[in-house]
Amino acid sequence: MSEAGDEADGARGSAYQEFVVMELLLEKLKLLNYEEEALVQHNLKPLNRHYFVSSRFLPSNPGEQFHVFHVLAAWLINTAGRAFPAPQEHDNPTATASGVLAELRALGVKVDFPASNLLQGSGEFVCFVLYQLAEKALKKTGFSFKRPTHARESTEDEFMTEDKAELTFDHQEDEMSDDEKEKEMDQRAVDPAEWALEVERVLPQLTAPMETDTKDWRSHVEQLHQHRGRIDSSLEQTMSFLHKLQEDISSSMKKLSSRETSINFQLKHLIQEYRDAQAKKTDASEQYDTASGRMMDRTRVVAEVNDSLRKVKKQVEEKGRSMSDEAPVVKINQSLVKLNQEIAEMDVTISVLQHMLLQAKLREKHNMMCDMYASNPPDPAAEPFSAG
């Protein structure tokens, strides 16, 4: 294998190094019982084995991943024996990343990349930081890995099988070399012109497709070597372009990093002013919410008072309308006139009835007197005495 092939294999292997580091990190976090001691307090779900890997084949959420990174980094730093504040809602991501790197340097880990590489919440640098912090936390807790113990097994049968296969393969190679020598001797004895004419004559009969034997592993191995050679030749040219592209990207990243650092330094006072303005805005929003609540309460009270006033106005209007209405008075006058007429009629009727009653009494008295005189005639001698 050439040096270019070794470099290509190394480049292909480095692309998957991030996955390996993430899986090792997850195992160390499980040893530290991170689910119950770190994630439960912040109501977070357990991580999958590719959570912090940056790849175009994996979904990404920079805000959520950076928050989880902040939570785990703070917990690991505290577990490693250093004091680090817990994540808050209004923390500055740049200040948080710088603080994590400062604590990592204080723990004795060499860091040669800027804090801006951690802001995306995933990637090689995030996995590296968490892996180193997990190492320090495990060392602080006194945990250590032990060598595994493997059971010894007999491999004599395997060795015998391999020896037999090597002998058979060598014998076949010897037979093939003898056949090739015979073919070379026959080709030397044949005239090339006659051989060409014979080939032209027989060639139309040799156009039948040949079926390759799937068990012929030698042809497969030869094809693999040919493809591998083509791939290596193409890879050399591609790797040169990739190295050049990597250098350009690295220089651009360094320029961007330095530019970002200078911009952050230049805009430091503006950022502080923005934070102060945001704090004032938060206070004003709270005051506005409080005033809005009070206004809503008073608006509700005013609405209730307006309803009561409307009802009172309606009652007053009904009372005034009833007091200014003369129809009941006219009806009462008409009823009084009618009642007076009826009283006069009743008086006349009563007078007539009294007169008729008096006439009946007088007639009855007269009849009684007549009956009495008829039964007892008066004495004529007594009449002058009666008269006197």
Side-chain angles (χ1 to χ4, degrees):
M1 188 66 67
S2 61
E3 295 181 358
D6 294 339
E7 292 179 358
D9 293 338
R12 287 193 292 269
S14 62
Y16 299 98
Q17 184 65 24
E18 191 175 339
F19 291 86
V20 177
V21 175
M22 178 61 207
E23 291 185 359
L24 294 176
L25 168 63
L26 187 60
E27 295 298 328
K28 293 181 182 298
L29 292 176
K30 289 179 180 179
L31 292 174
L32 291 169
N33 196 16
Y34 79 105
E35 295 181 4
E36 297 181 359
E37 296 186 6
L39 300 186
V40 174
Q41 298 178 0
H42 298 274
N43 195 17
L44 298 175
K45 296 180 180 179
L47 307 181
N48 58 52
R49 61 194 185 99
H50 299 151
Y51 185 78
F52 290 114
V53 175
S54 177
S55 174
R56 60 189 180 92
F57 300 105
L58 297 174
S60 62
N61 187 354
E64 178 185 350
Q65 288 174 324
F66 184 79
H67 176 64
V68 176
F69 164 75
H70 189 185
V71 170
L72 292 176
W75 173 68
L76 290 173
I77 291 171
N78 290 320
T79 306
R82 302 280 300 179
F84 195 82
Q88 300 295 330
E89 182 178 0
H90 301 289
D91 287 342
N92 186 9
T94 305
T96 300
S98 300
V100 171
L101 291 183
E103 292 294 334
L104 190 61
R105 293 188 184 97
L107 290 172
V109 179
K110 184 179 179 180
V111 179
D112 56 354
F113 55 87
S116 59
N117 293 335
L118 304 176
L119 297 180
Q120 60 184 352
S122 61
E124 176 185 359
F125 301 103
V126 172
C127 295
F128 171 77
V129 170
L130 292 177
Y131 182 84
Q132 295 296 330
L133 291 175
E135 286 276 352
K136 298 300 180 180
L138 285 173
K139 185 176 181 181
K140 182 66 176 179
T141 55
F143 182 84
S144 61
F145 290 96
K146 297 180 180 179
R147 291 182 175 274
T149 56
H150 302 284
R152 295 183 179 179
E153 297 180 356
S154 176
T155 57
E156 295 180 358
D157 296 337
E158 296 179 358
F159 291 151
M160 292 294 292
T161 304
E162 291 179 358
D163 294 338
K164 291 179 180 180
E166 290 178 357
L167 291 174
T168 304
F169 182 70
D170 294 337
H171 183 64
Q172 290 178 354
E173 286 184 350
D174 294 338
E175 291 179 354
M176 290 177 65
S177 62
D178 294 338
D179 293 339
E180 290 177 355
K181 291 178 180 179
E182 292 179 359
K183 289 180 180 179
E184 290 179 357
M185 293 176 66
D186 293 338
Q187 289 178 359
R188 291 176 182 176
V190 175
D191 187 6
E194 294 179 357
W195 179 260
L197 292 175
E198 185 68 18
V199 169
E200 290 180 359
R201 186 180 65 82
V202 182
L203 185 61
Q205 302 177 4
L206 302 177
T207 56
M210 297 180 63
E211 296 182 357
T212 58
D213 188 5
T214 57
K215 296 182 180 179
D216 190 3
W217 59 270
R218 294 183 181 84
S219 61
H220 290 200
V221 172
E222 186 176 354
Q223 291 178 359
L224 289 175
H225 285 299
Q226 292 176 359
H227 292 316
R228 182 59 184 270
R230 294 173 184 173
I231 291 172
D232 291 339
S233 61
S234 301
L235 189 61
E236 291 178 359
Q237 185 178 2
T238 306
M239 287 300 296
S240 62
F241 289 113
L242 290 177
H243 284 305
K244 184 178 180 181
L245 181 61
Q246 183 181 6
E247 292 176 357
D248 295 339
I249 292 174
S250 300
S251 62
S252 299
M253 289 296 293
K254 290 180 181 179
K255 292 178 181 178
L256 288 174
S257 178
S258 61
R259 183 62 178 168
E260 182 181 3
T261 304
S262 62
I263 289 174
N264 289 334
F265 181 76
Q266 293 174 2
L267 300 179
K268 186 176 182 181
H269 63 285
L270 295 177
I271 294 173
Q272 186 63 33
E273 292 178 359
Y274 172 74
R275 291 177 184 171
D276 296 338
Q278 191 173 11
K280 292 179 181 178
K281 177 186 174 183
T282 303
D283 297 337
S285 298
E286 293 178 356
Q287 295 176 2
Y288 173 76
D289 293 337
T290 304
S292 298
R294 294 176 182 175
M295 188 181 71
M296 291 294 292
D297 295 338
R298 295 181 180 179
T299 303
R300 186 172 56 255
V301 172
V302 169
E304 294 175 357
V305 171
N306 288 332
D307 292 339
S308 302
L309 181 61
R310 194 179 299 108
K311 292 179 181 178
V312 171
K313 286 182 178 180
K314 187 176 180 181
Q315 293 177 359
V316 169
E317 289 177 358
E318 290 178 355
K319 290 289 184 181
R321 195 181 301 112
S322 62
M323 291 176 65
S324 61
D325 191 6
E326 296 179 356
V329 178
V330 173
K331 290 181 180 180
I332 291 172
N333 292 331
Q334 292 176 358
S335 299
L336 289 174
V337 172
K338 188 176 180 181
L339 184 60
N340 290 329
Q341 291 177 359
E342 291 179 355
I343 290 172
E345 290 176 0
M346 290 296 293
D347 290 340
V348 173
T349 304
I350 290 170
S351 299
V352 172
L353 290 175
Q354 285 179 354
H355 178 69
M356 291 175 66
L357 182 60
L358 180 60
Q359 290 294 330
K361 286 182 179 180
L362 290 175
R363 191 178 299 111
E364 184 179 359
K365 186 175 180 181
H366 178 71
N367 292 331
M368 287 176 64
M369 290 295 293
C370 289
D371 291 338
M372 185 178 63
Y373 287 144
S375 60
N376 295 316
D379 191 2
E383 284 183 2
F385 179 78
S386 301

